[in-house]
C-alpha cells in the first residue's frame, strides 16, 4: 500500500500556487482566515465593532465606534510584520512541508531574507502550533516514554584520557528529558523535565483516571501503578508483550531525533520545548494534507496574541 505522503491527496497546495496568486489574493486569504465568522469583513480587535472604514491605500481599517486603526495582522504574532503577505504564506507552506522540520537557514535562502528573520518567524509558527496542545487531556490507551537530548560531551582524543560518560560526574549537566504522552491512534503531549520520573505530576494533570497507561521498565514510572491501570514492557526482552508497548511514543522520538540530527543539527536547551511541541504537532497531523496543515497553522497564528518571547530579533536577559 502506498504511503500517504506519496499520494496526490497529501499535496493540495504548492509554492507555485502561492506565488501565482499574487499579493492581493494572499492578503484576501489572511482576511478570510482572521475574520472567518464575517467572511473576511474586518472586526475591531479593541471593541469588537463590525463596522469599519477600509483604508485601502494602506491596507488598514478604522473602527466606526472607537476610531481605532488596525490591520489584518494587528494583535497577532505577525504584528509589526515587514514581509509581504505572499512571503508569509509561502513561509508557512515551506514550514509545514518539512516532515522532519525545516531549517531556518534553508528558509532564509528560499525566501531571500536574513537568517534571523527566518529564525524568529519559524519560532513564532511553533508558538502558534503549541496553542493546539494547551490544556489537552488524554484518555483511552496512553503510551508514555522519555528520551534525553542535549548535553553532548566531546570525548578526549587519546583513549587513555577518555572518561566514562555514563557517570554523572563526567556529564555536562545540560541534558534534558523530553517526555511524550501519546494516545494510541490519537493526540500527543510533550513535556520537558530533568529526569524521566519527574513527569509523573504532569501525568496526573493531563491523563484521565480511567486511562490505561503503557510504559517501559524505567523505575521512574513505578509511581503510575498507584493511580492508573498500568502495563509495562521490558525493552531488553521484547518490544511488544501481550499488547503492552510504547511503539507510538518511540515513533515520536524517531521524528524528533531526525529533526535534531538531520535538519537542525543542534537544538539549544532553552528552545527544546518548542521543537518538542512542533514534533508533536507534526505527528498528530501526519495524515493531513499540506493545504489543510497550512490553513491550521495560519489560523492558529492569526488567533494567537502578540508573541512576548519573540517580539524582537535578539533575545535579551530580563
Amino acid at each position: 500500500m502506498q504511503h500517504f505522503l506519496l499520494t496526490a491527496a497529501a499535496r493540495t497546495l504548492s509554492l507555485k500556487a502561492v506565488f501565482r496568486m499574487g499579493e492581493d489574493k494572499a492578503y484576501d486569504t489572511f482576511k478570510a482566515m482572521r475574520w472567518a465568522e464575517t467572511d473576511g469583513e474586518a472586526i475591531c480587535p479593541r471593541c469588537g465593532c463590525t463596522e469599519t472604514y477600509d483604508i485601502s491605500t494602506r491596507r488598514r481599517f478604522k473602527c466606526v465606534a472607537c476610531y481605532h486603526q488596525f490591520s489584518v495582522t494587528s494583535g497577532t504574532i505577525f504584528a509589526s510584520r515587514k514581509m509581504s503577505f505572499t512571503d508569509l504564506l509561502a513561509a508557512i507552506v515551506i514550514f509545514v512541508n518539512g516532515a522532519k522540520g525545516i531549517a531556518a537557514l534553508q528558509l532564509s535562502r528560499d525566501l531571500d531574507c536574513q537568517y534571523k528573520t527566518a529564525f524568529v518567524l519559524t519560532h513564532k509558527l511553533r508558538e502558534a502550533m503549541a496553542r493546539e496542545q494547551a490544556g489537552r487531556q488524554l484518555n483511552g490507551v496512553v503510551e508514555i516514554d522519555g528520551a534525553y537530548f542535549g548535553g553532548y560531551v566531546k570525548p578526549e582524543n587519546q583513549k587513555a584520557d577518555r572518561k566514562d560518560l555514563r557517570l554523572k560526574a563526567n556529564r555536562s549537566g545540560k541534558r534534558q528529558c523530553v517526555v511524550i504522552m501519546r494516545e494510541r491512534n490519537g493526540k500527543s503531549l510533550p513535556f520537558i523535565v530533568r529526569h524521566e520520573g519527574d513527569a509523573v505530576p504532569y501525568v496526573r494533570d493531563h491523563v484521565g483516571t480511567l486511562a490505561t497507561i503503557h510504559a517501559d521498565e524505567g523505575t521512574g514510572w513505578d509511581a503510575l501503578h498507584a493511580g492508573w491501570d498500568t502495563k509495562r514492557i521490558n525493552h531488553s526482552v521484547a518490544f511488544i508483550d501481550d499488547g503492552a508497548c510504547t511503539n507510538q511514543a518511540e515513533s515520536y522520538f524517531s521524528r524528533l531525533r531526525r529533526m535534531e540530527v538531520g535538519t537542525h543539527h543542534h537544538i539549544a536547551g532553552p528552545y527544546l520545548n518548542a521543537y518538542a511541541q512542533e514534533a508533536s504537532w507534526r505527528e498528530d497531523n501526519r495524515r493531513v494534507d499540506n493545504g489543510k496543515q497550512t490553513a491550521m497553522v495560519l489560523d492558529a497564528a492569526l488567533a494567537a496574541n502578540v508573541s512576548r518571547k519573540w517580539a524582537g530579533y535578539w533575545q535579551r536577559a530580563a
Side-chain angles (χ1 to χ4, degrees), residues 180-198:
I180 187 67
M181 301 185 293
R182 186 173 186 181
E183 289 177 343
R184 192 163 288 181
N185 300 318
K187 299 296 184 180
S188 60
L189 193 60
F191 291 98
I192 309 298
V193 292
R194 200 65 181 167
H195 304 286
E196 196 174 58
D198 296 341

Side-chain angles (χ1 to χ4, degrees), residues 141-143 181-184 187-188 248 252 283 286:
V141 178
V142 179
E143 298 182 9
M181 301 185 293
R182 186 173 186 181
E183 289 177 343
R184 192 163 288 181
K187 299 296 184 180
S188 60
Q248 291 197 22
Y252 164 83
E283 275 289 293
R286 67 193 183 283

Side-chain angles (χ1 to χ4, degrees), residues 133-207:
Q133 302 167 5
R136 175 174 288 174
Q137 285 291 120
L138 304 180
N139 293 286
V141 178
V142 179
E143 298 182 9
I144 297 179
D145 201 5
Y148 289 87
F149 290 79
Y152 174 76
V153 177
K154 187 175 181 179
E156 297 293 338
N157 178 44
Q158 297 293 332
K159 184 176 180 180
D161 297 331
R162 294 173 190 169
K163 301 175 182 178
D164 187 353
L165 299 180
R166 294 173 295 180
L167 300 178
K168 184 177 179 180
N170 296 330
R171 294 176 185 164
S172 65
K174 296 180 180 180
R175 283 206 318 169
Q176 296 184 85
C177 182
V178 177
V179 171
I180 187 67
M181 301 185 293
R182 186 173 186 181
E183 289 177 343
R184 192 163 288 181
N185 300 318
K187 299 296 184 180
S188 60
L189 193 60
F191 291 98
I192 309 298
V193 292
R194 200 65 181 167
H195 304 286
E196 196 174 58
D198 296 341
V200 173
Y202 294 103
V203 180
R204 296 194 183 101
D205 293 338
H206 295 279
V207 177

Side-chain angles (χ1 to χ4, degrees), residues 68-88:
H68 175 59
Q69 290 192 22
F70 60 95
S71 71
V72 68
T73 57
S74 293
T76 73
I77 64 170
F78 293 133
S80 304
R81 63 170 186 88
K82 294 180 178 65
M83 298 179 73
S84 68
F85 291 104
T86 304
D87 284 350
L88 285 176

Side-chain angles (χ1 to χ4, degrees), residues 257-278:
R257 287 285 184 201
R258 294 183 184 192
M259 285 175 61
E260 178 194 34
V261 176
T263 301
H264 303 293
H265 305 306
H266 171 71
I267 296 177
Y271 307 132
L272 180 59
N273 187 52
Y275 289 96
Q277 290 173 328
E278 178 195 351

Side-chain angles (χ1 to χ4, degrees), residues 24-230:
D24 290 338
K25 285 189 177 180
Y27 175 59
D28 291 339
T29 300
F30 270 73
K31 289 198 299 180
M33 295 296 291
R34 175 78 188 270
W35 300 302
E37 63 274 22
T38 57
D39 295 327
E41 295 297 324
I43 300 175
C44 178
R46 178 174 292 178
C47 69
C49 180
T50 57
E51 293 188 38
T52 60
Y53 300 110
D54 185 2
I55 310 175
S56 58
T57 55
R58 297 170 54 206
R59 285 198 170 130
R60 294 184 67 85
F61 305 93
K62 185 174 182 179
C63 178
V64 171
C66 67
Y67 305 111
H68 175 59
Q69 290 192 22
F70 60 95
S71 71
V72 68
T73 57
S74 293
T76 73
I77 64 170
F78 293 133
S80 304
R81 63 170 186 88
K82 294 180 178 65
M83 298 179 73
S84 68
F85 291 104
T86 304
D87 284 350
L88 285 176
L89 195 56
I92 296 175
V93 174
I94 295 171
F95 187 72
V96 302
N97 279 347
K100 303 297 189 298
I102 185 75
L105 179 60
Q106 180 179 334
L107 184 63
S108 71
R109 289 173 172 175
D110 289 340
L111 296 181
D112 190 23
C113 65
Q114 291 191 41
Y115 169 79
K116 58 187 178 183
T117 302
F119 180 77
V120 170
L121 177 58
T122 53
H123 270 289
K124 285 182 176 182
L125 295 179
R126 292 184 185 101
E127 188 175 297
M129 282 177 165
R131 287 172 51 87
E132 185 180 316
Q133 302 167 5
R136 175 174 288 174
Q137 285 291 120
L138 304 180
N139 293 286
V141 178
V142 179
E143 298 182 9
I144 297 179
D145 201 5
Y148 289 87
F149 290 79
Y152 174 76
V153 177
K154 187 175 181 179
E156 297 293 338
N157 178 44
Q158 297 293 332
K159 184 176 180 180
D161 297 331
R162 294 173 190 169
K163 301 175 182 178
D164 187 353
L165 299 180
R166 294 173 295 180
L167 300 178
K168 184 177 179 180
N170 296 330
R171 294 176 185 164
S172 65
K174 296 180 180 180
R175 283 206 318 169
Q176 296 184 85
C177 182
V178 177
V179 171
I180 187 67
M181 301 185 293
R182 186 173 186 181
E183 289 177 343
R184 192 163 288 181
N185 300 318
K187 299 296 184 180
S188 60
L189 193 60
F191 291 98
I192 309 298
V193 292
R194 200 65 181 167
H195 304 286
E196 196 174 58
D198 296 341
V200 173
Y202 294 103
V203 180
R204 296 194 183 101
D205 293 338
H206 295 279
V207 177
T209 55
L210 299 180
T212 299
I213 295 180
H214 291 225
D216 61 19
E217 71 279 8
T219 57
W221 305 126
D222 292 345
L224 297 176
H225 290 272
W228 293 269
D229 175 22
T230 306

